[in-house]
Amino acid sequence: MSPRRVTLADVAKIAGVSSTTASLVLSGRGRELRISDDVAQRVLKAADDLQYRPNIVSVGLRTGTTRTIGFVSDTVATSRLAGDMIKGALEAARARGVMLFIGETEGDPDLERGLLQAMHDRQVDGIILAAMFTRTIKVPKTITTAPAVLLNALPRQPSPLPSVVPDEVEAGRTAARALLDAGHRDGIHLIGAGPGRRDIPPGSVAAVERLLGIREELNAAGVKIASARVCRDWQPEYGLAATRELLETARPKALICFNDRIALGAYQVLDDYGLKVPDDVSVVSFDDHPLADWMRPKLTTVALPHYDLGRTAVDVLFAEMERREEETDHQGEIHRVPMPLRVRESISRPASAGDPMEAQHVSGAGLRESRGRDGR
Amino acid sequence: MSPRRVTLADVAKIAGVSSTTASLVLSGRGRELRISDDVAQRVLKAADDLQYRPNIVSVGLRTGTTRTIGFVSDTVATSRLAGDMIKGALEAARARGVMLFIGETEGDPDLERGLLQAMHDRQVDGIILAAMFTRTIKVPKTITTAPAVLLNALPRQPSPLPSVVPDEVEAGRTAARALLDAGHRDGIHLIGAGPGRRDIPPGSVAAVERLLGIREELNAAGVKIASARVCRDWQPEYGLAATRELLETARPKALICFNDRIALGAYQVLDDYGLKVPDDVSVVSFDDHPLADWMRPKLTTVALPHYDLGRTAVDVLFAEMERREEETDHQGEIHRVPMPLRVRESISRPASAGDPMEAQHVSGAGLRESRGRDGR
DNA sequence: TCGCATTGCTAATACGATTTAGCAACCTGC
DNA sequence: GCAGGTTGCTAAATCGTATTAGCAATGCGA
């Protein structure tokens, strides 16, 4: 490191006082320790003239507080959405004068252990253990060394660590309500999970909770799920296959797709069958992937609140650091972050509703398929 | 921080030696400073039994080396591609026992200054200054305090800092060659930039270089660019508009789209005009956005090497740290990282090539458009 | 005048590690 | 026996800061 930094000793020398006095003034304890205003002014001026900035490493060694947080995630190379979670955490951290270490486990427990150790060796003030896709995780034993928060994850076993997760149950309700509000009362099909509570891709927290919310909301309205299909992975090709299978037996009026990529696949098959979105079939989905805005018609979807998740995690971690010495045997609180509905163009009144709607939907083109020579 | 960490003093006490001796043994200098094997073994055993790990903050204060790197980016909330850059950097850093601080400037110079200061206050060993979209940047004066590297960016003014960027010129050549190799000799149109050197979106480094490579390769093959259109922003709607404008005056045989989102827009318009990809019009693009694999037919594209960019930046930063005391007036080296061609399904021989091709392309459907009531 | 309280600062210590100078004991050669 | 060299460790200093105990000077009241 060069050139040499200005130190507290430099400031003290210029101000003509001891390092102790300079430290007391600059840490705001001058008055408390009865340093005169004259001396205080001299110190403040010297520090300003020299552009003195404390060495955080030194402060950290002395105080045990480094103004850093560790952010350990299963992966950082994922969609734009997940980047928003890091962004939210970064901005909340910056607002509190704290920096973020970042590490990626790729789901490997050994890697996770190593990262946690590396962060503890650097005396992080706290740790955020994040999952880019909402899931349950095994809380590592070593994480209790410092305050910690689970982000987008729930603990598999009872744990004192607080969790911050999207409110997926309410999101399920929101998606169902969007269709109900448009007048849909039948012909509502699920693509991705359901109809039963256990008809979900293995280990998918989001599936369980979205399905729960959907079922509750439709049930409360006295509306039945016409059918549902599980997609074992929520990628476009699975949505496409499930929707094709559906269309072989039924003509849906509305689809609730369990995420936007599944909805993309559904759009493709609906077009194959000459069905128009949203005139013939309304579609609502989840996540608000950037894709949703590129599809035609643009997709109405319940957005994952990644940015707010990240921010909330930092806030909860700070609350945890402030209460650290109390109630270490309690069960960690779960903070649920709301998921807003992003209204676009993929929902209209049911085609059999009767009243012609002029403004409720805009006829548009979805993402186009080029028809090949074989007629597909 | 609780419970109390094991310290070197604890190890020394158990081993029955001074802290100095324990330190010399554990840092590998025991033999050099003539510590006996017997004593060394006692120290090593005690350290192992106690699971001693050095406090990096303490080591950092003494040595000026914290085993941390600062990664300052204009944004982290962007596509999956850019996450791969962080991922690459993380993995290279981990391989060297180094951790990454991350910070986001959002293009704000004040924010950037604050982040650099925060990282210097924490005594980072070096800094990577990254741009998520390749561009030229103004190198902040304060960054020279520690070793630094520009990632995915070039300095606006002469600077001693090395740069790591994708090899966009060669990528342009690769894209052009992909069409030439498929037999295309005419009817090649550019969507996004060109035809002249200066026909580019303002400030776009990638445009300049891709265009340069395309022009070189086509020129070397004696092939003319049939036409070109600038898109001021490389989003789907701009690709759509430019391609539609093209189709009002010409029937292209091949398109070089300057990125995948533009290609998505082009696909949509080609379908509107009843043109098949790749039977009627081959398409090649850049970036390898995940979208490329979802489009139908799947898009052949020259991939941004984000992962390798990130790794290379860490490698170059380490080289820079090792040579730090020499040649500080030199011009920073530019490291160009190759961009691989991802061959998929969007290129075939020109329709007028004569020989029927059976296996060169698979007829498939692109991302479909749902036609609305108004006939669009 | 003396004892006590207050004021305004400073020296010393601590944090946990690394680095350097130095010392006691031993050995070898003259 | 003595001088010089080697061995094998240790005490002290250092890094830069925060914290605590304490001291000299002053003022006030009995």
Side-chain angles (χ1 to χ4, degrees):
Chain A
M1 289 291 286
S2 68
R4 196 187 72 95
R5 285 175 70 93
V6 175
T7 64
L8 187 70
D10 298 327
V11 174
K13 187 172 179 183
I14 296 291
V17 299
S18 71
S19 291
T20 307
T21 300
S23 181
L24 294 172
V25 171
L26 294 179
S27 62
R29 295 183 69 201
R31 193 165 301 272
E32 177 193 334
L33 272 295
R34 306 169 331 235
I35 308 293
S36 70
D37 281 350
D38 176 53
V39 166
Q41 288 308 310
R42 288 200 336 259
V43 171
L44 290 168
K45 184 174 189 301
D48 192 51
D49 289 349
L50 295 178
Q51 296 184 15
Y52 165 72
R53 301 183 56 84
N55 180 332
I56 304 284
V57 172
S58 169
V59 175
L61 182 59
R62 184 64 180 78
T63 65
T65 301
T66 56
R67 312 299 296 172
T68 62
I69 292 176
F71 188 102
V72 179
S73 171
D74 47 9
T75 181
V76 300
T78 175
S79 74
R80 162 186 195 131
L81 298 177
D84 281 342
M85 199 151 63
I86 299 176
K87 186 185 179 79
L90 281 176
E91 294 191 5
R94 196 179 67 233
R96 293 173 185 265
V98 172
M99 294 221 69
L100 228 50
F101 275 124
I102 189 163
E104 184 181 66
T105 64
E106 304 187 356
D108 179 345
D110 288 337
L111 221 47
E112 185 179 71
R113 190 183 312 115
L115 280 171
L116 291 176
Q117 280 180 341
M119 290 178 180
H120 288 137
D121 292 345
R122 288 166 178 74
Q123 307 282 90
V124 290
D125 298 338
I127 291 190
I128 294 170
L129 190 57
M132 287 299 148
F133 300 96
T134 313
R135 60 191 179 93
T136 59
I137 60 171
K138 178 177 163 57
V139 176
K141 274 184 297 249
T142 51
I143 201 166
T144 54
T145 309
V149 169
L150 301 184
L151 172 58
N152 208 19
L154 293 166
R156 267 193 211 135
Q157 314 293 344
S159 165
L161 302 194
S163 294
V164 177
V165 292
D167 192 346
E168 298 276 8
V169 177
E170 186 63 32
R173 287 190 206 112
T174 299
R177 197 179 304 121
L179 291 181
L180 295 174
D181 287 351
H184 289 273
R185 293 292 181 274
D186 61 354
I188 297 176
H189 299 252
L190 312 187
I191 306 288
R197 244 165 267 259
R198 290 198 220 45
D199 297 320
I200 56 171
S204 172
V205 172
V208 171
E209 299 192 349
R210 289 175 184 180
L211 183 57
L212 182 60
I214 291 165
R215 288 166 56 100
E216 284 180 1
E217 193 71 19
L218 292 182
N219 214 47
V223 172
K224 287 181 177 298
I225 294 168
S227 86
R229 280 156 177 79
V230 183
C231 299
R232 71 171 211 253
D233 190 11
W234 287 353
Q235 297 291 336
E237 57 266 31
Y238 292 94
L240 183 153
T243 306
R244 180 181 289 139
E245 187 180 294
L246 165 62
L247 291 179
E248 281 166 5
T249 59
R251 283 297 180 271
K253 294 182 181 172
L255 299 181
I256 299 182
C257 298
F258 273 68
N259 81 356
D260 300 336
R261 285 166 307 204
I262 285 177
L264 173 61
Y267 263 46
Q268 292 168 349
V269 177
L270 290 174
D271 196 57
D272 285 349
Y273 277 70
L275 296 172
K276 311 297 184 294
V277 176
D279 297 338
D280 300 326
V281 186
S282 291
V283 182
V284 65
S285 180
F286 295 88
D287 289 359
D288 195 27
H289 189 284
L291 176 65
D293 210 38
W294 301 340
M295 289 158 65
R296 295 165 69 192
K298 299 176 189 236
L299 182 62
T300 295
T301 180
V302 189
L304 278 170
H306 279 96
Y307 179 84
D308 290 334
L309 283 172
R311 286 201 75 105
T312 304
V314 172
D315 293 342
V316 171
L317 182 61
F318 267 81
E320 189 74 3
M321 288 194 270
E322 276 157 20
R323 57 182 283 178
R324 182 62 179 157
E325 307 301 338
E326 317 167 14
E327 301 184 39
T328 52
D329 287 334
H330 69 290
Q331 185 76 350
E333 232 180 324
I334 302 182
H335 301 259
R336 294 186 186 276
V337 180
M339 296 173 70
L341 181 66
R342 299 276 187 250
V343 178
R344 292 194 179 93
E345 300 165 355
S346 62
I347 299 184
S348 69
R349 299 194 67 82
S352 56
D355 295 338
M357 294 297 295
E358 297 159 59
Q360 175 76 0
H361 61 89
V362 179
S363 318
L367 295 166
R368 282 213 178 217
E369 175 178 359
S370 301
R371 189 170 296 263
R373 283 215 174 123
D374 65 1
R376 280 197 300 147
Chain B
M1 289 292 283
S2 70
R4 197 188 71 96
R5 285 174 72 91
V6 175
T7 64
L8 186 71
D10 299 326
V11 175
K13 187 173 181 182
I14 296 293
V17 299
S18 71
S19 291
T20 307
T21 300
S23 180
L24 293 173
V25 170
L26 294 178
S27 61
R29 296 182 69 199
R31 192 165 300 273
E32 175 193 335
L33 270 295
R34 307 171 329 236
I35 309 294
S36 70
D37 282 350
D38 175 55
V39 166
Q41 289 308 311
R42 290 205 327 263
V43 171
L44 290 168
K45 185 174 189 306
D48 192 51
D49 289 348
L50 295 178
Q51 296 184 18
Y52 166 73
R53 301 181 57 82
N55 180 333
I56 304 282
V57 172
S58 171
V59 175
L61 182 59
R62 185 60 180 82
T63 65
T65 299
T66 56
R67 313 298 298 172
T68 60
I69 292 176
F71 188 102
V72 179
S73 171
D74 49 8
T75 182
V76 300
T78 175
S79 74
R80 162 186 194 128
L81 298 178
D84 280 343
M85 199 152 62
I86 298 176
K87 186 186 179 79
L90 281 175
E91 293 190 7
R94 195 182 65 234
R96 293 172 184 268
V98 171
M99 294 221 69
L100 229 49
F101 274 125
I102 189 162
E104 183 181 65
T105 64
E106 304 185 358
D108 178 346
D110 288 338
L111 221 46
E112 186 180 70
R113 190 183 314 114
L115 280 172
L116 292 175
Q117 279 180 343
M119 289 178 179
H120 287 138
D121 292 344
R122 288 164 179 75
Q123 307 281 91
V124 290
D125 297 339
I127 290 189
I128 293 171
L129 191 56
M132 287 300 149
F133 300 96
T134 312
R135 60 192 179 96
T136 60
I137 60 171
K138 178 175 163 58
V139 176
K141 275 185 297 253
T142 51
I143 201 166
T144 54
T145 309
V149 169
L150 302 183
L151 172 57
N152 208 18
L154 294 165
R156 266 191 212 137
Q157 314 293 345
S159 166
L161 301 194
S163 295
V164 178
V165 293
D167 192 345
E168 298 275 8
V169 177
E170 186 62 32
R173 288 191 205 109
T174 299
R177 196 178 305 121
L179 292 180
L180 296 174
D181 286 352
H184 287 271
R185 294 292 181 272
D186 61 355
I188 297 177
H189 299 252
L190 311 188
I191 307 287
R197 244 167 268 258
R198 292 198 218 46
D199 297 320
I200 56 170
S204 173
V205 172
V208 172
E209 298 191 352
R210 288 174 187 182
L211 183 56
L212 182 60
I214 290 165
R215 288 166 57 98
E216 283 181 2
E217 192 70 17
L218 293 182
N219 213 48
V223 173
K224 288 179 176 299
I225 294 167
S227 87
R229 282 159 173 78
V230 183
C231 299
R232 71 170 211 256
D233 190 12
W234 287 354
Q235 298 291 336
E237 56 266 32
Y238 291 94
L240 185 152
T243 306
R244 179 180 287 140
E245 185 180 296
L246 165 62
L247 291 179
E248 283 166 5
T249 60
R251 281 297 179 270
K253 293 182 180 172
L255 298 181
I256 300 182
C257 298
F258 274 68
N259 84 354
D260 299 337
R261 285 167 308 205
I262 284 177
L264 174 62
Y267 263 46
Q268 292 169 349
V269 176
L270 290 173
D271 195 58
D272 285 349
Y273 278 71
L275 296 171
K276 312 297 184 288
V277 175
D279 297 338
D280 300 326
V281 187
S282 293
V283 181
V284 65
S285 181
F286 296 87
D287 290 357
D288 195 28
H289 189 284
L291 174 67
D293 210 37
W294 301 341
M295 289 158 64
R296 296 167 67 192
K298 299 173 188 242
L299 181 63
T300 295
T301 182
V302 189
L304 277 170
H306 277 97
Y307 178 84
D308 289 335
L309 282 171
R311 286 202 74 105
T312 303
V314 171
D315 293 343
V316 171
L317 182 60
F318 266 81
E320 188 74 3
M321 289 194 270
E322 277 157 20
R323 56 181 286 178
R324 183 61 180 157
E325 306 304 337
E326 317 166 16
E327 300 185 41
T328 52
D329 286 334
H330 71 288
Q331 185 77 349
E333 231 180 325
I334 302 182
H335 301 261
R336 294 188 186 275
V337 180
M339 297 172 69
L341 181 65
R342 299 275 187 250
V343 178
R344 291 193 181 94
E345 299 164 358
S346 60
I347 299 184
S348 68
R349 299 193 66 84
S352 56
D355 296 336
M357 293 294 296
E358 296 158 61
Q360 177 74 2
H361 62 88
V362 180
S363 319
L367 297 168
R368 283 214 177 215
E369 174 179 359
S370 301
R371 189 170 297 263
R373 283 216 174 120
D374 64 3
R376 279 196 304 144

